[in-house]
Amino acid sequence: MTWLLGVIGDPVSHSLSPVIHKMWIREHGFDATYEALQVKRGELEHALETLSQREALGFNITLPHKEDALALADETSDIARRIGAANTLVRREQGGWRAENTDAPGFVRSLLDAGIEVAGSRVTLLGAGGSARAVAISLMDLRAEITIANRTRERAKALVSETGITAEICSLEEGISQAATADVVINTLSLGHSGKSLELPEATGQYFYDISYGKPAAAIRAEALAKNWQPMDGLGMLVAQAAYSFEHWFGVLPDTKEALAHCRKLVEATT
C-alpha cells in the first residue's frame, strides 16, 4: 500500500515541500508519494474527504488553509492551539485528523542551527500577521525580550492578547528606525513578495532574519548586507518544519543538511 502525502495550498506550485519530502521518502525507503495539491479557499473540508479515500497519511498545509485545518481537525496539539493554526495534519488510526504546527519548532531549530541565542536578548519582530504568531510564541518560550512592530498597533495588540505572550508594541516606522538597538530583528512582513524592501538603519553586525527566501527575500537581504547586518533567510526554517512533519507521519526525524543544501542550490539558481 502506497501512502499519500502532500502539501495543500493555493498557490502551491512553487512549493519546495515535494522536493524535500521525496528526498527523505527515498532515503528511508518508505512506500509513499508526496504531491502538491492546489485547493481553493473554502474547499479544504471537501478536499480532505476526497483525499482520505486515497490512503492519505498526512498533509502539510499552507496558505490560505492553516486556520481551517485547525478547525476541521478531530484532535489538536497544544502548540497548534496556541498559534491558532495548523501547518500539518496527521491521519489518526481511529479516523479523522490530528492538527500539528511544526512552524514553531522549525523556527527554533533554525535559530539553533545558526547559533543564534535569543534567551534574554532584545528581539524586534516586524509584522503581526499569521506568520508572526508562531515566531512570537517561540520567542516567548525562549525567554526573549520582544518588541512587535506593525503598521497597525491594534493587530499587534490582538496577537499579544490571543497568544498570551508578553511584548512591547510600537509602530512599524518606530520598529525599523530603532531596529539597531535590538540584538536580533526578525521580518515576517510580506513586502518582498511584491518586490518591495525596507530601509534599515546602520547596524553593528546584528542578525536580520527574514522568514522569506529566494526572490521575495533578495531585496531586503541586499539592504541588510549594505547596512552591516548579518542576513539570514527562512530556508532553514522551511526544511526544519518539514523534518518535524515527516517525524509526525513516520516516527523518524530525518537529517536536514542534505535537503537544505539541495534546496539552497535550487533557490540560488532561480534568484
Side-chain angles (χ1 to χ4, degrees):
M1 178 179 63
T2 300
W3 289 110
L4 170 66
L5 299 159
V7 54
I8 297 175
D10 185 23
V12 76
S13 60
H14 67 287
S15 176
L16 288 172
S17 293
V19 174
I20 298 168
H21 286 285
K22 285 177 180 178
M23 286 183 65
W24 291 334
I25 288 169
R26 289 193 301 268
E27 179 183 342
H28 293 279
F30 291 118
D31 186 4
T33 183
Y34 191 102
E35 303 175 7
L37 303 163
Q38 183 165 337
V39 175
K40 295 186 180 298
R41 183 186 294 274
E43 297 182 4
L44 180 61
E45 184 173 12
H46 176 69
L48 289 174
E49 290 173 355
T50 302
L51 292 167
S52 295
Q53 301 171 17
R54 295 180 56 192
E55 302 298 340
L57 181 61
F59 298 103
N60 288 126
I61 307 295
T62 187
L63 296 175
H65 302 300
K66 290 186 176 184
E67 289 78 14
D68 287 346
L70 185 73
L72 292 170
D74 302 275
E75 181 182 341
T76 306
S77 69
D78 288 340
I79 189 64
R81 190 178 303 109
R82 289 175 67 196
I83 294 171
N87 78 327
T88 302
L89 290 177
V90 184
R91 181 175 180 168
R92 306 192 309 165
E93 289 185 7
Q94 65 269 45
W97 303 97
R98 183 174 80 252
E100 297 283 352
N101 193 303
T102 64
D103 284 331
F107 170 70
V108 173
R109 171 72 178 273
S110 71
L111 292 177
L112 294 174
D113 288 348
I116 301 175
E117 176 61 62
V118 298
S121 297
R122 293 167 297 176
V123 180
T124 295
L125 178 61
L126 304 180
S131 299
R133 297 173 71 95
V135 173
I137 287 174
S138 299
L139 291 172
M140 186 189 72
D141 290 349
L142 291 171
R143 303 186 305 281
E145 297 179 13
I146 310 167
T147 296
I148 300 176
N150 196 56
R151 290 187 183 85
T152 58
R153 291 175 180 264
E154 290 74 18
R155 191 166 189 180
K157 290 177 181 178
L159 186 154
V160 170
S161 174
E162 291 166 9
T163 60
I165 70 168
T166 300
E168 297 292 327
I169 294 172
C170 67
S171 69
L172 184 59
E173 292 75 15
E174 290 174 313
I176 293 172
S177 67
Q178 299 173 16
T181 64
D183 299 305
V184 180
V185 174
I186 300 170
N187 179 41
T188 68
L189 299 168
S190 58
L191 289 170
H193 292 271
S194 57
K196 298 179 182 178
S197 185
L198 295 171
E199 186 173 345
L200 299 173
E202 287 286 342
T204 54
Q206 300 100 307
Y207 279 99
F208 184 90
Y209 183 163
D210 189 341
I211 68 168
S212 296
Y213 59 87
K215 288 183 180 179
I220 297 177
R221 175 183 175 82
E223 169 73 2
L225 281 170
K227 298 293 181 63
N228 202 32
W229 294 85
Q230 292 190 61
M232 177 179 171
D233 70 10
L235 198 57
M237 177 180 172
L238 173 74
V239 175
Q241 65 81 24
Y244 290 123
S245 294
F246 194 89
E247 183 181 31
H248 282 303
W249 298 325
F250 294 110
V252 175
L253 183 62
D255 183 76
T256 58
K257 291 181 181 178
E258 185 177 349
L260 179 56
H262 183 59
C263 288
R264 181 67 66 192
K265 289 180 180 179
L266 292 176
V267 168
E268 290 176 352
T270 57
T271 302

